[in-house]
Amino acid sequence: MNDDDHVCLCFHVTRHKVMQFIRAERPKKASQLSECYGAGTGCGWCRPFLEKMMQESDPAEAELPEASVYAKERATYRQK
Ligand code: FES
């Protein structure tokens, strides 16, 4: 996934925006990422990935799936 790809597809929040938020605000809990344009407050698909980004000392280091795979898996998740 590139920095301009959406981590939170519900609210169109890019990986770059999440990285900037984590670096600037240093949230203690993943739920605080909701303050980043509502990330994670929709379908819930992105929450594990947001947590993964928070767990890295540098959020840019988090391994996230390729954008098309990520979107396809989310579509499957939403159908359940
Ligand atoms: S993809 Fe982030 S809440 Fe749905």
Side-chain angles (χ1 to χ4, degrees):
M1 179 179 289
N2 297 320
D3 290 354
D4 290 336
D5 291 327
H6 295 143
V7 175
C8 182
L9 293 162
C10 288
F11 293 99
H12 312 289
V13 185
T14 64
R15 179 181 174 134
H16 178 74
K17 285 180 184 170
V18 173
M19 290 191 304
Q20 290 299 99
F21 184 87
I22 291 172
R23 290 173 179 153
E25 303 297 330
R26 300 187 183 278
K28 304 246 184 300
K29 295 184 283 185
S31 61
Q32 290 174 278
L33 290 174
S34 64
E35 296 166 27
C36 179
Y37 303 96
T41 60
C43 71
W45 165 251
C46 63
R47 288 179 200 154
F49 300 98
L50 295 172
E51 288 175 18
K52 195 172 184 179
M53 291 179 74
M54 280 191 59
Q55 288 167 358
E56 296 288 342
S57 55
D58 178 356
E61 297 296 318
E63 292 274 334
L64 300 182
E66 196 272 317
S68 64
V69 172
Y70 186 80
K72 192 180 273 186
E73 289 179 351
R74 175 189 175 250
T76 302
Y77 169 84
R78 292 193 67 193
Q79 287 172 353
K80 292 182 182 172

